[in-house]
Amino acid sequence: MYTGIDQLQELTKEPKIAYFSMEIGVHNDIPTYSGGLGVLAGDTIRSGADLKLPMVAVTILCRRGYFRQDIDDRGRQVEYPYEWDPSRYMQLLPYKATVQIEGREVFVQAWQYNVKSLTSGSIPVFFLDTDIAVNSPEDREITAQLYGGDLTYRLKQEIVLGLGGVRLLHEMGFEIKKYHMNEGHASFLTLELLDRFKRPIEDVWDEKLVWDKEKVKGLCVFTTHTPVEAGHDKFPYDLVSRVMGEIIPFHVLKELAGRDCLNMTMLALNLSRYINGVAKKHGEVSKNMFPGYEIYAITNGVHSFTWTCSSFKKIYDEYLPGWANEPELFVRVGRIPDEVLWNAHMEAKKSLCEYIKEQTGSLFSPDILTFGFARRATAYKRADLIFRDIERLLRIGAGKIQLVYAGKAHPKDEPGKQLIQNIFRYKEEFKDKIKIVYLKNYNMDSALRIISGVDVWLNTPLRPLEASGTSGMKAAHNGVVNFSVLDGWWIEGHIEGYTGWAIGPAPIEKMQSTDLTDMKSADRRDAEDLYSKLEKVIIPLYYDDRHMWIRMMQNAIGKNAYYFNCHRMMRRYVTEAYIR
Ligand SMILES: *Cc1c(COP(=O)(O)O)cnc(C)c1O
């Protein structure tokens, strides 16, 4: 039975912050996320619910999800639609909004999913859906697949997200005091607001009076998430004109979104009062990319309760009661006796070994130093950097290390798929010397298993392309030490030999050129440092000085998890962005 109306009336009493994101990972079995961006959005809502913030969230339903990943014997990724049934998790609301697409009126409905906190807080997430009988078969597909289709498909999805989302919230009776655009995908919402707040034309010669940009800016917060060019959606104006039509006059739109093509990031930048990057360095990099804008930085965090495995939850509950809603308590990690911490880690590690055996038949030993690398498979993350010099890796690591990999490549990312294939090849090549597995279908559940069950979390992005990265923060929550290139959050979290280890040189402020020869030399330099620390520092420490190793695990928790959690992040968004 539908009970949403009463609930909605209750919900709409108080003005809300509306969080818009193309992807939100609310639950492992709701496959509406592809990677870090969506999981962060989920963590944002989970922390918001814990802190009882007045928020609602808007995203796309994706009935066929992102995709389910299989990998064949030769290491080729095969993609399958990930069909799921929204009615098992959510309630369909009796409201509809419309958007114009290619001149047709397309109806948009929403499913409500409540993210509930143990603190009794709750935040509704509205999943937008065009799969309605009144819509044409083509339009019913618009919200089917995350990051699927071509540029036109993406544009239609963003029209539904931005325009459809704002209209539907309005239809439901919400009063919104801030719109937070999590990445540029949602920036069409600014057009709807411009249109809504346009003033009657008193003096036709002064358009600034008509389009109340200041009012819209005052309502909008924009978080940019990547310096990777492909991460910023751009649409040719003839396409925009054909598909979306005119929401505001094109000459005004061009002033706001770029002369040559409609740049979603520019649109958001020009119509948000508060703009931020997701780590201090990324704030700087973004300022260089978009000169002339005031860009702040709020470093990402992860939801502590979600990203702590069961054996660590148990010891935190015992020694640091209240930690989940007050991660600052990690500062007292020293209260946990060494052997208790180590046993909790070994429990997680054994459980990962079991999982690997179940999934692949491969027998991993809990007594061997284990490295984890799992994230989207895409070129700049350089999953195969550790294999740059095979002879050397074998000399250093044979019999002493094991490697666990996972991650999906976007279906159209051929170099990303190639990376997976490379790792498969090395897996065969190294068979009896260094155990390697590539686990299929990386998702939130397997992420927690892998991250908590290894000893060292490896990250080797090409700088400065890792805006923040969050998986290393999850590692820290489970006493897992980071070994990573100094980019994104790790610049802020790294203390050499204390919270983990750096790979390669100290960060530079200057934008690195993406020149190919530069990339090759960065590869060489970073791989050299990786091997040298592996051999001289990490392997000896693990096998010969367990006491010091456990100190580092403590520091990962007490210094890194203490700071890089989503509660701290949300408190900053509230004080710096939402209530300004
Ligand atoms: C945390 C997480 C990510 C992000 O990993 P990064 O290393 O920060 O890129 C991606 N996918 C899943 C499923 C995650 O849980």
Side-chain angles (χ1 to χ4, degrees), residues 43-76:
D43 282 359
T44 298
I45 302 307
R46 285 182 276 274
S47 277
D50 289 345
L51 298 169
K52 302 185 183 172
L53 301 180
M55 288 179 86
V56 299
V58 178
T59 188
I60 297 277
L61 185 70
C62 317
R63 265 176 208 272
R64 288 202 295 278
Y66 182 44
F67 66 88
R68 195 170 57 73
Q69 178 198 50
D70 198 3
I71 303 177
D72 72 15
D73 301 340
R74 292 169 309 127
R76 278 308 288 177

PDB file of all heavy atoms in Angstrom, residues 43-76:
ATOM      1  N   ASP A  43      27.553   8.117   0.247  1.00  0.00           N
ATOM      2  CA  ASP A  43      28.117   8.427   1.562  1.00  0.00           C
ATOM      3  C   ASP A  43      27.632   9.791   2.056  1.00  0.00           C
ATOM      4  O   ASP A  43      27.356   9.980   3.243  1.00  0.00           O
ATOM      5  CB  ASP A  43      29.652   8.408   1.508  1.00  0.00           C
ATOM      6  CG  ASP A  43      30.217   6.984   1.510  1.00  0.00           C
ATOM      7  OD1 ASP A  43      29.418   6.029   1.572  1.00  0.00           O
ATOM      8  OD2 ASP A  43      31.451   6.828   1.465  1.00  0.00           O
ATOM      9  N   THR A  44      27.529  10.744   1.137  1.00  0.00           N
ATOM     10  CA  THR A  44      27.038  12.081   1.476  1.00  0.00           C
ATOM     11  C   THR A  44      25.635  11.988   2.084  1.00  0.00           C
ATOM     12  O   THR A  44      25.355  12.594   3.126  1.00  0.00           O
ATOM     13  CB  THR A  44      26.984  12.945   0.187  1.00  0.00           C
ATOM     14  OG1 THR A  44      28.307  13.066  -0.331  1.00  0.00           O
ATOM     15  CG2 THR A  44      26.405  14.321   0.456  1.00  0.00           C
ATOM     16  N   ILE A  45      24.786  11.212   1.422  1.00  0.00           N
ATOM     17  CA  ILE A  45      23.413  11.070   1.914  1.00  0.00           C
ATOM     18  C   ILE A  45      23.387  10.290   3.231  1.00  0.00           C
ATOM     19  O   ILE A  45      22.642  10.638   4.155  1.00  0.00           O
ATOM     20  CB  ILE A  45      22.532  10.369   0.843  1.00  0.00           C
ATOM     21  CG1 ILE A  45      22.556  11.167  -0.468  1.00  0.00           C
ATOM     22  CG2 ILE A  45      21.104  10.191   1.329  1.00  0.00           C
ATOM     23  CD1 ILE A  45      22.189  12.630  -0.322  1.00  0.00           C
ATOM     24  N   ARG A  46      24.219   9.256   3.345  1.00  0.00           N
ATOM     25  CA  ARG A  46      24.260   8.485   4.594  1.00  0.00           C
ATOM     26  C   ARG A  46      24.724   9.356   5.761  1.00  0.00           C
ATOM     27  O   ARG A  46      24.129   9.321   6.844  1.00  0.00           O
ATOM     28  CB  ARG A  46      25.183   7.264   4.439  1.00  0.00           C
ATOM     29  CG  ARG A  46      24.561   6.141   3.614  1.00  0.00           C
ATOM     30  CD  ARG A  46      25.476   4.918   3.508  1.00  0.00           C
ATOM     31  NE  ARG A  46      26.466   5.039   2.447  1.00  0.00           N
ATOM     32  CZ  ARG A  46      26.246   4.716   1.166  1.00  0.00           C
ATOM     33  NH1 ARG A  46      25.083   4.252   0.797  1.00  0.00           N
ATOM     34  NH2 ARG A  46      27.193   4.856   0.267  1.00  0.00           N
ATOM     35  N   SER A  47      25.758  10.160   5.552  1.00  0.00           N
ATOM     36  CA  SER A  47      26.203  11.056   6.632  1.00  0.00           C
ATOM     37  C   SER A  47      25.150  12.123   6.905  1.00  0.00           C
ATOM     38  O   SER A  47      24.901  12.470   8.061  1.00  0.00           O
ATOM     39  CB  SER A  47      27.534  11.722   6.277  1.00  0.00           C
ATOM     40  OG  SER A  47      28.609  10.872   6.570  1.00  0.00           O
ATOM     41  N   GLY A  48      24.546  12.641   5.839  1.00  0.00           N
ATOM     42  CA  GLY A  48      23.479  13.628   6.013  1.00  0.00           C
ATOM     43  C   GLY A  48      22.360  13.079   6.876  1.00  0.00           C
ATOM     44  O   GLY A  48      21.819  13.776   7.747  1.00  0.00           O
ATOM     45  N   ALA A  49      22.016  11.807   6.651  1.00  0.00           N
ATOM     46  CA  ALA A  49      20.949  11.177   7.452  1.00  0.00           C
ATOM     47  C   ALA A  49      21.401  11.012   8.900  1.00  0.00           C
ATOM     48  O   ALA A  49      20.643  11.312   9.837  1.00  0.00           O
ATOM     49  CB  ALA A  49      20.560   9.828   6.852  1.00  0.00           C
ATOM     50  N   ASP A  50      22.629  10.575   9.117  1.00  0.00           N
ATOM     51  CA  ASP A  50      23.158  10.439  10.483  1.00  0.00           C
ATOM     52  C   ASP A  50      23.090  11.779  11.210  1.00  0.00           C
ATOM     53  O   ASP A  50      22.763  11.841  12.398  1.00  0.00           O
ATOM     54  CB  ASP A  50      24.631  10.004  10.465  1.00  0.00           C
ATOM     55  CG  ASP A  50      24.831   8.559  10.022  1.00  0.00           C
ATOM     56  OD1 ASP A  50      23.843   7.800  10.004  1.00  0.00           O
ATOM     57  OD2 ASP A  50      25.983   8.204   9.703  1.00  0.00           O
ATOM     58  N   LEU A  51      23.446  12.840  10.500  1.00  0.00           N
ATOM     59  CA  LEU A  51      23.515  14.165  11.117  1.00  0.00           C
ATOM     60  C   LEU A  51      22.155  14.868  11.075  1.00  0.00           C
ATOM     61  O   LEU A  51      22.040  16.023  11.477  1.00  0.00           O
ATOM     62  CB  LEU A  51      24.578  15.021  10.399  1.00  0.00           C
ATOM     63  CG  LEU A  51      26.017  14.468  10.475  1.00  0.00           C
ATOM     64  CD1 LEU A  51      26.947  15.216   9.525  1.00  0.00           C
ATOM     65  CD2 LEU A  51      26.550  14.545  11.903  1.00  0.00           C
ATOM     66  N   LYS A  52      21.154  14.160  10.583  1.00  0.00           N
ATOM     67  CA  LYS A  52      19.776  14.673  10.489  1.00  0.00           C
ATOM     68  C   LYS A  52      19.695  16.002   9.753  1.00  0.00           C
ATOM     69  O   LYS A  52      18.988  16.930  10.169  1.00  0.00           O
ATOM     70  CB  LYS A  52      19.161  14.789  11.889  1.00  0.00           C
ATOM     71  CG  LYS A  52      19.144  13.460  12.617  1.00  0.00           C
ATOM     72  CD  LYS A  52      18.420  13.559  13.936  1.00  0.00           C
ATOM     73  CE  LYS A  52      18.493  12.213  14.642  1.00  0.00           C
ATOM     74  NZ  LYS A  52      17.976  12.261  15.999  1.00  0.00           N
ATOM     75  N   LEU A  53      20.417  16.101   8.660  1.00  0.00           N
ATOM     76  CA  LEU A  53      20.378  17.329   7.867  1.00  0.00           C
ATOM     77  C   LEU A  53      19.089  17.369   7.045  1.00  0.00           C
ATOM     78  O   LEU A  53      18.598  16.332   6.604  1.00  0.00           O
ATOM     79  CB  LEU A  53      21.591  17.393   6.931  1.00  0.00           C
ATOM     80  CG  LEU A  53      22.957  17.362   7.600  1.00  0.00           C
ATOM     81  CD1 LEU A  53      24.067  17.439   6.558  1.00  0.00           C
ATOM     82  CD2 LEU A  53      23.097  18.525   8.588  1.00  0.00           C
ATOM     83  N   PRO A  54      18.551  18.568   6.829  1.00  0.00           N
ATOM     84  CA  PRO A  54      17.331  18.688   6.029  1.00  0.00           C
ATOM     85  C   PRO A  54      17.651  18.590   4.542  1.00  0.00           C
ATOM     86  O   PRO A  54      17.814  19.594   3.871  1.00  0.00           O
ATOM     87  CB  PRO A  54      16.813  20.089   6.393  1.00  0.00           C
ATOM     88  CG  PRO A  54      18.039  20.856   6.772  1.00  0.00           C
ATOM     89  CD  PRO A  54      19.015  19.871   7.346  1.00  0.00           C
ATOM     90  N   MET A  55      17.763  17.374   4.044  1.00  0.00           N
ATOM     91  CA  MET A  55      18.180  17.167   2.654  1.00  0.00           C
ATOM     92  C   MET A  55      17.224  16.244   1.918  1.00  0.00           C
ATOM     93  O   MET A  55      16.557  15.408   2.528  1.00  0.00           O
ATOM     94  CB  MET A  55      19.569  16.503   2.594  1.00  0.00           C
ATOM     95  CG  MET A  55      20.724  17.382   2.988  1.00  0.00           C
ATOM     96  SD  MET A  55      22.291  16.448   2.881  1.00  0.00           S
ATOM     97  CE  MET A  55      22.707  16.689   1.151  1.00  0.00           C
ATOM     98  N   VAL A  56      17.214  16.400   0.592  1.00  0.00           N
ATOM     99  CA  VAL A  56      16.630  15.396  -0.291  1.00  0.00           C
ATOM    100  C   VAL A  56      17.649  15.189  -1.416  1.00  0.00           C
ATOM    101  O   VAL A  56      18.501  16.046  -1.645  1.00  0.00           O
ATOM    102  CB  VAL A  56      15.275  15.839  -0.901  1.00  0.00           C
ATOM    103  CG1 VAL A  56      14.243  16.081   0.185  1.00  0.00           C
ATOM    104  CG2 VAL A  56      15.434  17.097  -1.768  1.00  0.00           C
ATOM    105  N   ALA A  57      17.560  14.055  -2.100  1.00  0.00           N
ATOM    106  CA  ALA A  57      18.497  13.810  -3.190  1.00  0.00           C
ATOM    107  C   ALA A  57      17.737  13.407  -4.446  1.00  0.00           C
ATOM    108  O   ALA A  57      16.642  12.842  -4.366  1.00  0.00           O
ATOM    109  CB  ALA A  57      19.496  12.721  -2.804  1.00  0.00           C
ATOM    110  N   VAL A  58      18.309  13.753  -5.598  1.00  0.00           N
ATOM    111  CA  VAL A  58      17.683  13.455  -6.880  1.00  0.00           C
ATOM    112  C   VAL A  58      18.716  12.781  -7.784  1.00  0.00           C
ATOM    113  O   VAL A  58      19.851  13.253  -7.905  1.00  0.00           O
ATOM    114  CB  VAL A  58      17.171  14.745  -7.561  1.00  0.00           C
ATOM    115  CG1 VAL A  58      16.560  14.426  -8.923  1.00  0.00           C
ATOM    116  CG2 VAL A  58      16.168  15.469  -6.675  1.00  0.00           C
ATOM    117  N   THR A  59      18.315  11.669  -8.398  1.00  0.00           N
ATOM    118  CA  THR A  59      19.213  10.975  -9.321  1.00  0.00           C
ATOM    119  C   THR A  59      18.395  10.269 -10.400  1.00  0.00           C
ATOM    120  O   THR A  59      17.183  10.462 -10.493  1.00  0.00           O
ATOM    121  CB  THR A  59      20.136   9.995  -8.562  1.00  0.00           C
ATOM    122  OG1 THR A  59      21.119   9.463  -9.460  1.00  0.00           O
ATOM    123  CG2 THR A  59      19.357   8.843  -7.942  1.00  0.00           C
ATOM    124  N   ILE A  60      19.059   9.471 -11.223  1.00  0.00           N
ATOM    125  CA  ILE A  60      18.404   8.765 -12.337  1.00  0.00           C
ATOM    126  C   ILE A  60      18.204   7.294 -11.953  1.00  0.00           C
ATOM    127  O   ILE A  60      19.060   6.694 -11.318  1.00  0.00           O
ATOM    128  CB  ILE A  60      19.315   8.848 -13.592  1.00  0.00           C
ATOM    129  CG1 ILE A  60      19.491  10.299 -14.037  1.00  0.00           C
ATOM    130  CG2 ILE A  60      18.795   7.992 -14.713  1.00  0.00           C
ATOM    131  CD1 ILE A  60      18.383  10.838 -14.886  1.00  0.00           C
ATOM    132  N   LEU A  61      17.096   6.718 -12.365  1.00  0.00           N
ATOM    133  CA  LEU A  61      16.746   5.360 -11.913  1.00  0.00           C
ATOM    134  C   LEU A  61      17.660   4.259 -12.472  1.00  0.00           C
ATOM    135  O   LEU A  61      18.035   3.344 -11.734  1.00  0.00           O
ATOM    136  CB  LEU A  61      15.291   5.041 -12.280  1.00  0.00           C
ATOM    137  CG  LEU A  61      14.795   3.700 -11.746  1.00  0.00           C
ATOM    138  CD1 LEU A  61      14.636   3.732 -10.245  1.00  0.00           C
ATOM    139  CD2 LEU A  61      13.475   3.300 -12.398  1.00  0.00           C
ATOM    140  N   CYS A  62      17.998   4.326 -13.751  1.00  0.00           N
ATOM    141  CA  CYS A  62      18.836   3.292 -14.362  1.00  0.00           C
ATOM    142  C   CYS A  62      18.308   1.875 -14.127  1.00  0.00           C
ATOM    143  O   CYS A  62      18.920   1.087 -13.409  1.00  0.00           O
ATOM    144  CB  CYS A  62      20.289   3.341 -13.861  1.00  0.00           C
ATOM    145  SG  CYS A  62      20.978   4.951 -13.742  1.00  0.00           S
ATOM    146  N   ARG A  63      17.207   1.541 -14.753  1.00  0.00           N
ATOM    147  CA  ARG A  63      16.613   0.208 -14.604  1.00  0.00           C
ATOM    148  C   ARG A  63      17.542  -0.908 -15.039  1.00  0.00           C
ATOM    149  O   ARG A  63      17.398  -2.049 -14.633  1.00  0.00           O
ATOM    150  CB  ARG A  63      15.361   0.099 -15.472  1.00  0.00           C
ATOM    151  CG  ARG A  63      14.087   0.398 -14.759  1.00  0.00           C
ATOM    152  CD  ARG A  63      12.946   0.344 -15.749  1.00  0.00           C
ATOM    153  NE  ARG A  63      11.867   1.217 -15.326  1.00  0.00           N
ATOM    154  CZ  ARG A  63      10.901   0.817 -14.517  1.00  0.00           C
ATOM    155  NH1 ARG A  63      10.873  -0.409 -14.068  1.00  0.00           N
ATOM    156  NH2 ARG A  63       9.967   1.664 -14.163  1.00  0.00           N
ATOM    157  N   ARG A  64      18.445  -0.616 -15.966  1.00  0.00           N
ATOM    158  CA  ARG A  64      19.421  -1.635 -16.360  1.00  0.00           C
ATOM    159  C   ARG A  64      20.790  -1.346 -15.762  1.00  0.00           C
ATOM    160  O   ARG A  64      21.796  -1.896 -16.186  1.00  0.00           O
ATOM    161  CB  ARG A  64      19.509  -1.711 -17.897  1.00  0.00           C
ATOM    162  CG  ARG A  64      18.253  -2.358 -18.512  1.00  0.00           C
ATOM    163  CD  ARG A  64      18.519  -2.911 -19.893  1.00  0.00           C
ATOM    164  NE  ARG A  64      18.849  -1.869 -20.845  1.00  0.00           N
ATOM    165  CZ  ARG A  64      17.945  -1.101 -21.477  1.00  0.00           C
ATOM    166  NH1 ARG A  64      16.663  -1.293 -21.248  1.00  0.00           N
ATOM    167  NH2 ARG A  64      18.318  -0.174 -22.307  1.00  0.00           N
ATOM    168  N   GLY A  65      20.779  -0.494 -14.741  1.00  0.00           N
ATOM    169  CA  GLY A  65      21.994  -0.230 -13.977  1.00  0.00           C
ATOM    170  C   GLY A  65      23.111   0.375 -14.817  1.00  0.00           C
ATOM    171  O   GLY A  65      22.871   0.999 -15.844  1.00  0.00           O
ATOM    172  N   TYR A  66      24.329   0.189 -14.344  1.00  0.00           N
ATOM    173  CA  TYR A  66      25.518   0.557 -15.123  1.00  0.00           C
ATOM    174  C   TYR A  66      25.780  -0.657 -16.006  1.00  0.00           C
ATOM    175  O   TYR A  66      25.340  -0.689 -17.136  1.00  0.00           O
ATOM    176  CB  TYR A  66      26.643   0.883 -14.139  1.00  0.00           C
ATOM    177  CG  TYR A  66      27.937   1.328 -14.759  1.00  0.00           C
ATOM    178  CD1 TYR A  66      27.973   2.226 -15.796  1.00  0.00           C
ATOM    179  CD2 TYR A  66      29.147   0.847 -14.264  1.00  0.00           C
ATOM    180  CE1 TYR A  66      29.181   2.624 -16.353  1.00  0.00           C
ATOM    181  CE2 TYR A  66      30.360   1.250 -14.809  1.00  0.00           C
ATOM    182  CZ  TYR A  66      30.370   2.131 -15.856  1.00  0.00           C
ATOM    183  OH  TYR A  66      31.567   2.523 -16.398  1.00  0.00           O
ATOM    184  N   PHE A  67      26.393  -1.699 -15.501  1.00  0.00           N
ATOM    185  CA  PHE A  67      26.395  -3.005 -16.178  1.00  0.00           C
ATOM    186  C   PHE A  67      26.965  -4.030 -15.205  1.00  0.00           C
ATOM    187  O   PHE A  67      27.587  -3.682 -14.212  1.00  0.00           O
ATOM    188  CB  PHE A  67      27.189  -2.970 -17.486  1.00  0.00           C
ATOM    189  CG  PHE A  67      28.667  -2.747 -17.323  1.00  0.00           C
ATOM    190  CD1 PHE A  67      29.548  -3.799 -17.134  1.00  0.00           C
ATOM    191  CD2 PHE A  67      29.192  -1.455 -17.347  1.00  0.00           C
ATOM    192  CE1 PHE A  67      30.911  -3.588 -16.974  1.00  0.00           C
ATOM    193  CE2 PHE A  67      30.554  -1.218 -17.194  1.00  0.00           C
ATOM    194  CZ  PHE A  67      31.407  -2.290 -17.004  1.00  0.00           C
ATOM    195  N   ARG A  68      26.702  -5.302 -15.509  1.00  0.00           N
ATOM    196  CA  ARG A  68      27.308  -6.377 -14.737  1.00  0.00           C
ATOM    197  C   ARG A  68      28.508  -6.852 -15.538  1.00  0.00           C
ATOM    198  O   ARG A  68      28.425  -7.066 -16.742  1.00  0.00           O
ATOM    199  CB  ARG A  68      26.300  -7.507 -14.534  1.00  0.00           C
ATOM    200  CG  ARG A  68      26.685  -8.509 -13.454  1.00  0.00           C
ATOM    201  CD  ARG A  68      25.510  -9.430 -13.160  1.00  0.00           C
ATOM    202  NE  ARG A  68      25.052 -10.116 -14.373  1.00  0.00           N
ATOM    203  CZ  ARG A  68      25.715 -11.108 -14.962  1.00  0.00           C
ATOM    204  NH1 ARG A  68      26.860 -11.543 -14.481  1.00  0.00           N
ATOM    205  NH2 ARG A  68      25.228 -11.680 -16.059  1.00  0.00           N
ATOM    206  N   GLN A  69      29.624  -6.979 -14.843  1.00  0.00           N
ATOM    207  CA  GLN A  69      30.868  -7.294 -15.545  1.00  0.00           C
ATOM    208  C   GLN A  69      31.202  -8.772 -15.440  1.00  0.00           C
ATOM    209  O   GLN A  69      31.196  -9.347 -14.356  1.00  0.00           O
ATOM    210  CB  GLN A  69      32.023  -6.487 -14.926  1.00  0.00           C
ATOM    211  CG  GLN A  69      33.388  -6.761 -15.532  1.00  0.00           C
ATOM    212  CD  GLN A  69      34.520  -6.288 -14.632  1.00  0.00           C
ATOM    213  OE1 GLN A  69      34.542  -6.594 -13.451  1.00  0.00           O
ATOM    214  NE2 GLN A  69      35.455  -5.527 -15.182  1.00  0.00           N
ATOM    215  N   ASP A  70      31.466  -9.369 -16.608  1.00  0.00           N
ATOM    216  CA  ASP A  70      32.078 -10.687 -16.605  1.00  0.00           C
ATOM    217  C   ASP A  70      33.419 -10.522 -17.313  1.00  0.00           C
ATOM    218  O   ASP A  70      33.621  -9.557 -18.066  1.00  0.00           O
ATOM    219  CB  ASP A  70      31.182 -11.691 -17.333  1.00  0.00           C
ATOM    220  CG  ASP A  70      31.571 -13.122 -16.965  1.00  0.00           C
ATOM    221  OD1 ASP A  70      32.478 -13.305 -16.125  1.00  0.00           O
ATOM    222  OD2 ASP A  70      30.978 -14.067 -17.530  1.00  0.00           O
ATOM    223  N   ILE A  71      34.350 -11.437 -17.052  1.00  0.00           N
ATOM    224  CA  ILE A  71      35.642 -11.375 -17.731  1.00  0.00           C
ATOM    225  C   ILE A  71      35.924 -12.771 -18.271  1.00  0.00           C
ATOM    226  O   ILE A  71      35.832 -13.748 -17.525  1.00  0.00           O
ATOM    227  CB  ILE A  71      36.756 -10.928 -16.754  1.00  0.00           C
ATOM    228  CG1 ILE A  71      36.404  -9.567 -16.131  1.00  0.00           C
ATOM    229  CG2 ILE A  71      38.095 -10.849 -17.479  1.00  0.00           C
ATOM    230  CD1 ILE A  71      37.390  -9.067 -15.107  1.00  0.00           C
ATOM    231  N   ASP A  72      36.205 -12.871 -19.573  1.00  0.00           N
ATOM    232  CA  ASP A  72      36.416 -14.206 -20.151  1.00  0.00           C
ATOM    233  C   ASP A  72      37.829 -14.706 -19.864  1.00  0.00           C
ATOM    234  O   ASP A  72      38.623 -14.022 -19.212  1.00  0.00           O
ATOM    235  CB  ASP A  72      36.055 -14.223 -21.644  1.00  0.00           C
ATOM    236  CG  ASP A  72      37.074 -13.475 -22.498  1.00  0.00           C
ATOM    237  OD1 ASP A  72      38.189 -13.177 -22.011  1.00  0.00           O
ATOM    238  OD2 ASP A  72      36.748 -13.181 -23.671  1.00  0.00           O
ATOM    239  N   ASP A  73      38.145 -15.906 -20.351  1.00  0.00           N
ATOM    240  CA  ASP A  73      39.426 -16.554 -20.022  1.00  0.00           C
ATOM    241  C   ASP A  73      40.637 -15.755 -20.473  1.00  0.00           C
ATOM    242  O   ASP A  73      41.722 -15.905 -19.937  1.00  0.00           O
ATOM    243  CB  ASP A  73      39.506 -17.931 -20.709  1.00  0.00           C
ATOM    244  CG  ASP A  73      38.367 -18.826 -20.269  1.00  0.00           C
ATOM    245  OD1 ASP A  73      37.787 -18.524 -19.195  1.00  0.00           O
ATOM    246  OD2 ASP A  73      38.053 -19.790 -20.992  1.00  0.00           O
ATOM    247  N   ARG A  74      40.426 -14.945 -21.499  1.00  0.00           N
ATOM    248  CA  ARG A  74      41.564 -14.174 -21.997  1.00  0.00           C
ATOM    249  C   ARG A  74      41.638 -12.778 -21.377  1.00  0.00           C
ATOM    250  O   ARG A  74      42.431 -11.955 -21.784  1.00  0.00           O
ATOM    251  CB  ARG A  74      41.472 -14.053 -23.519  1.00  0.00           C
ATOM    252  CG  ARG A  74      41.675 -15.395 -24.251  1.00  0.00           C
ATOM    253  CD  ARG A  74      41.316 -15.269 -25.712  1.00  0.00           C
ATOM    254  NE  ARG A  74      39.979 -14.667 -25.829  1.00  0.00           N
ATOM    255  CZ  ARG A  74      39.678 -13.604 -26.564  1.00  0.00           C
ATOM    256  NH1 ARG A  74      40.591 -13.006 -27.265  1.00  0.00           N
ATOM    257  NH2 ARG A  74      38.460 -13.139 -26.586  1.00  0.00           N
ATOM    258  N   GLY A  75      40.732 -12.540 -20.411  1.00  0.00           N
ATOM    259  CA  GLY A  75      40.782 -11.253 -19.723  1.00  0.00           C
ATOM    260  C   GLY A  75      39.975 -10.167 -20.402  1.00  0.00           C
ATOM    261  O   GLY A  75      40.096  -8.985 -20.063  1.00  0.00           O
ATOM    262  N   ARG A  76      39.132 -10.555 -21.388  1.00  0.00           N
ATOM    263  CA  ARG A  76      38.273  -9.552 -22.038  1.00  0.00           C
ATOM    264  C   ARG A  76      37.051  -9.298 -21.184  1.00  0.00           C
ATOM    265  O   ARG A  76      36.359 -10.224 -20.773  1.00  0.00           O
ATOM    266  CB  ARG A  76      37.794 -10.063 -23.412  1.00  0.00           C
ATOM    267  CG  ARG A  76      38.779  -9.881 -24.537  1.00  0.00           C
ATOM    268  CD  ARG A  76      39.320  -8.503 -24.712  1.00  0.00           C
ATOM    269  NE  ARG A  76      38.347  -7.544 -25.263  1.00  0.00           N
ATOM    270  CZ  ARG A  76      38.606  -6.251 -25.439  1.00  0.00           C
ATOM    271  NH1 ARG A  76      39.770  -5.737 -25.082  1.00  0.00           N
ATOM    272  NH2 ARG A  76      37.695  -5.463 -25.944  1.00  0.00           N
TER     273      ARG A  76
END
